[in-house]
Amino acid sequence: MWQYQKKLQFPVHIKNPDPKAAKIIITQYGGPDGEMSASLRYLSQRYSMPYNDLKGLLTDIGTEELAHFEMIAAMVHQLTRSMTEEEIKRSGFDTYFVDHTAGVYPVAASGAPWNASYIQSKGDLIADLHEDMGAEQKARATYENLLRLIDDPDIREPLKFLREREIVHYQRFGEGLRLATDRLNSKNFYACNPSFDTPCGKGTTCP
């Protein structure tokens, strides 16, 4: 059960419409490494997570990603409101405009619509946590790419905030992975499991 607080996690107040910027920022709404993918990934993975504290971690971060999803939507909306036809043509936003006018729709910067292949829910806690750490690093890199291309401080400040949160999430998932690995190793699941003939970490095969 969620309680919705009617304010953005970080303020978005963009004074100057910029459909060219919107066309690339929208990738963090519906792109492969965007906030929609992140929220669905973590909120799906939590069901098969066997440890309650790590399940809580996935729920907390997945919920925060929904807030980031909302921030990106607000940015795209503010960047595309009150556009003139000339701005639409000049910015290259015309291809998006033909299909969606100024509606916010989950697509990547390339124009590819969101699809479920962008996320993974493997049901194996080690695999899923590695997936999550990689996802956070890819999102960080995407925000850095956006910051390289955008000069408007009204746009940059929310993007910088979102980039920082990706780093924090990466760190939290790293802590979660260490906890999960320690617990599994203590039960002989991943440290040395003869049934899978896995290495013991000493250059030998488990007896």
Side-chain angles (χ1 to χ4, degrees):
M1 183 69 181
W2 281 270
Q3 292 182 341
Y4 177 58
Q5 187 177 15
K6 295 184 179 180
K7 61 181 291 187
L8 295 177
Q9 189 181 15
F10 187 93
V12 175
H13 300 295
I14 299 172
K15 293 183 286 292
N16 301 313
D18 186 346
K20 185 176 181 179
K23 188 175 180 181
I24 55 175
I25 288 172
I26 203 166
T27 203
Q28 283 303 87
Y29 189 77
D33 306 314
E35 305 296 352
M36 181 176 180
S37 296
S39 61
L40 290 175
R41 178 186 299 110
Y42 308 146
L43 294 176
S44 297
Q45 289 176 356
R46 66 189 177 134
Y47 290 99
S48 58
M49 177 58 67
Y51 301 122
N52 286 335
D53 51 352
L54 299 183
K55 185 177 295 187
L57 177 68
L58 287 165
T59 302
D60 289 346
I61 295 180
T63 299
E64 185 178 355
E65 302 291 13
L66 290 174
H68 297 171
F69 182 64
E70 185 179 37
M71 281 181 61
I72 294 294
M75 295 180 74
V76 171
H77 169 67
Q78 292 183 23
L79 287 165
T80 57
R81 64 186 176 189
S82 305
M83 296 179 295
T84 66
E85 290 184 6
E86 183 56 37
E87 286 174 328
I88 293 169
K89 295 174 184 176
R90 186 173 64 248
S91 65
F93 198 75
D94 50 350
T95 52
Y96 180 97
F97 181 82
V98 166
D99 290 333
H100 308 292
T101 320
V104 181
Y105 180 78
V107 296
S110 63
W114 188 89
N115 73 82
S117 67
Y118 293 160
I119 69 171
Q120 181 57 269
S121 181
K122 190 68 174 175
D124 179 283
L125 72 168
I126 299 297
D128 281 345
L129 288 168
H130 275 288
E131 164 85 9
D132 301 340
M133 292 176 69
E136 294 295 332
Q137 286 297 328
K138 288 184 282 186
R140 172 199 54 79
T142 302
Y143 279 120
E144 290 176 359
N145 289 340
L146 290 170
L147 287 164
R148 290 184 177 100
L149 300 174
I150 294 170
D151 297 323
D152 186 340
D154 289 347
I155 306 173
R156 288 179 60 84
E157 290 308 306
L159 293 178
K160 286 161 64 177
F161 168 81
L162 291 167
R163 175 192 174 276
E164 291 169 2
R165 296 308 299 165
E166 307 298 352
I167 295 171
V168 172
H169 293 170
Y170 174 78
Q171 293 169 338
R172 298 293 85 80
F173 282 131
E175 294 166 0
L177 178 62
R178 286 192 292 275
L179 287 172
T181 303
D182 288 345
R183 291 171 186 175
L184 291 171
N185 286 350
S186 70
K187 296 181 179 180
N188 202 34
F189 286 166
Y190 279 85
C192 179
N193 191 330
S195 65
F196 293 109
D197 195 29
T198 54
C200 289
K202 299 180 181 178
T204 61
T205 301
C206 300

